[in-house]
Amino acid sequence: MIYIPLSEIKAKIPDDWFATADQALAEVTVITDLKARAQAINDRDDVWKALRERLAELRKDKCWYCESNDSRSDRPIDHYRPKNTIAECDTHGGYWWLAFSWENFRYCCTFCNSKRVDKEHGTTGGKHDHFPLWTDGLRATFGKCSPYDLEREKPMLLDPCCETDPPLLWFDEDGKPAPHPHLCGAQGTFLYERVTTSITLYHLDHHKIVDRRQQLYQTIKRKLAQAEEKLRRLREHADMTAQQALAEDVRELKEFMAPEQPYSATARCALMALRGSYPVAELVFL
Ligand SMILES: [Zn+2]
């Protein structure tokens, strides 16, 4: 998961889009029948699809949830708060009043967005219309809705647009995601359960991305070993050619953590975890 500031999203939206979104919301607001309103919202999907390319540009086509860059994906725009139905609350009818709200849009891949079963590897995921809460009684509804109500909700899904959410995910050497060992607390507590729920519903444990993260981790490990040797030559033999080569290695290692790089959060976890074995990793965080 990668942090996407809301200010960056807003800056990408053309001025005339906001009036279009307001008009679409006004048209669906007068519809009281749930099914008819859901249909009317879906009929106006060109409103959010009009922003797809602009949102994709923000992180070079990467999914904001899983950081994959998969050109085969349909590249949907997910509504962080589902627009028509809530899997965890039959009677709610969805956050339909946020259907055309740019602050509710998250650019993602079909693996994270659509329900999918990976029978071979025993995982199931895909956000679809899920939006579980820690305390379900505090779900915002339109009649009572205000920013205050939304802020009081305790979503169990990590949000890439919330700065403190992406760092809660940790990635191990085997490529598997987990709650951050120092930030999330024990199993059963709020942050730990938010991360495990997000891993399941965004399908962050799908074997394809687990394999890719594992490969990245090994690439970083090899690069660190090379850099460590150059640091040793510089330290023990005053080898100035090693100094220049070391600087190049550090630049390459930093680049793995750049926001536009696939699985940059995994790279960050790998470099942090390997600092004990490869002290040269300290240079990457300077
Ligand atoms: Zn994804």
Side-chain angles (χ1 to χ4, degrees):
M1 184 172 288
I2 186 76
Y3 172 50
I4 311 287
L6 286 171
S7 57
E8 278 193 46
I9 299 174
K10 192 174 186 185
K12 279 283 183 185
I13 302 175
D15 291 342
D16 58 356
W17 182 87
F18 297 97
T20 306
D22 288 346
Q23 174 67 28
L25 179 60
E27 289 167 2
V28 303
T29 298
V30 296
I31 304 171
T32 52
D33 179 73
L34 283 182
K35 279 189 177 175
R37 188 169 59 211
Q39 185 62 50
I41 288 172
N42 291 336
D43 287 345
R44 290 161 176 76
D45 62 356
D46 55 328
V47 174
W48 57 83
K49 284 181 177 175
L51 299 179
R52 181 159 57 195
E53 298 302 323
R54 291 167 180 272
L55 299 191
E57 285 169 10
L58 279 173
R59 292 296 179 271
K60 290 195 173 175
D61 242 11
K62 265 196 337 184
C63 170
W64 297 356
Y65 294 134
C66 73
E67 291 200 86
S68 296
N69 187 341
D70 193 341
S71 57
R72 294 165 300 169
S73 166
D74 292 335
R75 304 188 304 158
I77 289 180
D78 180 45
H79 289 73
Y80 175 63
R81 285 180 165 83
K83 59 190 181 303
N84 287 326
T85 54
I86 306 289
E88 289 78 16
C89 186
D90 292 343
T91 57
H92 187 271
Y95 299 83
W96 60 269
W97 66 98
L98 302 176
F100 308 104
S101 168
W102 63 270
E103 291 160 296
N104 196 34
F105 299 159
R106 307 289 182 266
Y107 181 76
C108 67
C109 73
T110 45
F111 278 89
C112 292
N113 192 46
S114 304
K115 191 167 168 47
R116 189 182 300 266
V117 178
D118 180 8
K119 285 182 183 170
E120 187 186 345
H121 297 85
T123 61
T124 301
K127 178 170 172 282
H128 193 46
D129 61 350
H130 286 282
F131 198 71
L133 301 176
W134 180 246
T135 307
D136 213 54
L138 290 177
R139 192 178 294 280
T141 58
F142 180 64
K144 300 172 187 171
C145 181
S146 70
Y148 178 68
D149 286 319
L150 289 175
E151 285 170 12
R152 282 181 63 192
E153 282 190 338
K154 298 173 184 175
M156 294 305 288
L157 287 171
L158 298 177
D159 182 4
C161 294
C162 176
E163 190 168 8
T164 54
D165 274 3
L168 298 176
L169 271 166
W170 181 258
F171 299 97
D172 289 318
E173 187 164 1
D174 60 6
K176 291 181 179 172
H180 191 292
H182 305 306
L183 297 176
C184 292
Q187 186 174 2
T189 58
F190 181 50
L191 294 182
Y192 187 102
E193 295 303 319
R194 284 190 78 205
V195 173
T196 54
T197 300
S198 300
I199 289 170
T200 299
L201 293 182
Y202 293 138
H203 215 166
L204 300 178
D205 54 355
H206 189 280
H207 77 277
K208 284 186 180 175
I209 53 175
V210 167
D211 289 349
R212 289 175 199 164
R213 290 194 207 106
Q214 189 177 28
Q215 288 166 17
L216 174 61
Y217 206 106
Q218 293 309 315
T219 299
I220 288 172
K221 205 171 180 179
R222 283 194 298 273
K223 181 61 74 178
L224 277 174
Q226 292 168 11
E228 193 67 39
E229 171 58 17
K230 287 159 192 163
L231 178 63
R232 187 193 65 77
R233 279 164 38 204
L234 179 62
R235 185 174 58 228
E236 297 179 7
H237 303 292
D239 181 349
M240 299 310 286
T241 60
Q243 186 179 46
Q244 203 168 5
L246 173 61
E248 181 59 32
D249 283 352
V250 169
R251 271 194 293 275
E252 286 182 31
L253 285 163
K254 283 183 176 176
E255 182 60 21
F256 285 118
M257 295 192 294
E260 67 277 7
Q261 292 296 329
Y263 314 113
S264 63
T266 301
R268 185 172 190 81
C269 290
L271 285 161
M272 290 177 75
L274 291 167
R275 279 190 293 191
S277 307
Y278 302 96
V280 71
E282 297 291 340
L283 294 174
V284 177
F285 292 99
L286 296 177

